[in-house]
Amino acid sequence: LVDKPTRVFEVAGSSIEKLELFDHRVLAEANRFASEGKFDEAFDNYAYLLTNYSDASGLNEAIGRFLQLEAASAFRAKKYERALMVLLELHDRSPRGSDAVAKSLDRVGDRLLDQYVKRKAYEPARGILHLLSEKFPDHRFEKLAQWRLRLIQEAEAQLAMAREHAAANQFREAN
């Protein structure tokens, strides 16, 4: 009892209906938070468990499900950078399931690149392409391959225009 922490109690085994360990309760709460889309609260519980009960039964699988749920939620909310980060963490934690993660990354990368290119933010777009090709050298990203080709074509067109301006001594325009 909380109000009698030093008192020793004896309980007959036949009187015990259920034994619920603290780490199991924290894990159950984390799973409930994750299923309800309360990802910050779930994260806090999973982090606590990783720090204090890293060998808890089912913890790694639960974290994998949590990351899948959070990535899907971020994607639906059009928070593609968040979805990318979560999917990369999911891959790092479970590289064996990387084909499914890579397919999700292809979709997320497609949406993210679309946003970057519309804003003419080519450097982060190239960064996404480079990151994914380095991290997944054996996976063929269909949508990202199309983006790579499109960006190369746009860069070649810009380079051709710059050369024309330079040849006409229009250096500001060439720059």
Side-chain angles (χ1 to χ4, degrees):
L1 297 176
V2 175
D3 60 337
K4 298 176 184 165
T6 59
R7 185 167 175 201
V8 176
F9 292 87
E10 286 188 32
V11 178
S14 61
S15 298
I16 298 174
E17 289 183 24
K18 181 179 179 184
L19 175 63
E20 195 172 10
L21 300 176
F22 180 70
D23 60 320
H24 294 163
R25 292 186 69 179
V26 174
L27 182 58
E29 184 176 75
N31 291 339
R32 181 177 57 79
F33 283 144
S35 68
E36 293 172 355
K38 298 178 180 176
F39 300 115
D40 291 339
E41 292 89 340
F43 176 85
D44 291 340
N45 284 11
Y46 290 126
Y48 175 82
L49 289 168
L50 283 171
T51 301
N52 298 291
Y53 298 93
S54 60
D55 59 345
S57 175
L59 178 59
N60 288 329
E61 295 82 8
I63 292 174
R65 285 189 303 275
F66 158 71
L67 292 171
Q68 289 171 341
L69 289 170
E70 186 174 7
S73 174
F75 185 81
R76 283 190 303 275
K78 299 181 181 182
K79 297 179 180 177
Y80 303 122
E81 290 171 341
R82 177 75 181 167
L84 175 72
M85 181 187 72
V86 173
L87 287 169
L88 290 172
E89 175 64 22
L90 180 60
H91 166 73
D92 289 346
R93 293 188 64 78
S94 179
R96 280 178 277 181
S98 63
D99 281 344
V101 172
K103 287 178 185 176
S104 296
L105 283 166
D106 196 28
R107 286 194 312 273
V108 169
D110 177 50
R111 302 288 173 84
L112 195 51
L113 286 167
D114 184 54
Q115 285 182 345
Y116 287 152
V117 169
K118 282 179 180 173
R119 294 189 331 238
K120 298 190 184 292
Y122 297 112
E123 188 171 347
R126 284 191 310 267
I128 295 295
L129 290 170
H130 178 74
L131 169 73
L132 294 177
S133 64
E134 288 289 315
K135 195 154 193 74
F136 298 89
D138 298 330
H139 187 79
R140 177 164 155 40
F141 293 105
E142 294 176 22
K143 293 178 181 182
L144 298 183
Q146 294 168 1
W147 276 108
R148 182 181 303 278
L149 181 60
R150 178 177 167 187
L151 290 174
I152 288 171
Q153 290 170 341
E154 285 186 29
E156 288 172 346
Q158 291 292 319
L159 183 60
M161 281 186 5
R163 286 185 176 142
E164 288 175 16
H165 287 300
N169 292 330
Q170 297 171 331
F171 300 113
R172 179 172 289 174
E173 293 83 357
N175 190 31

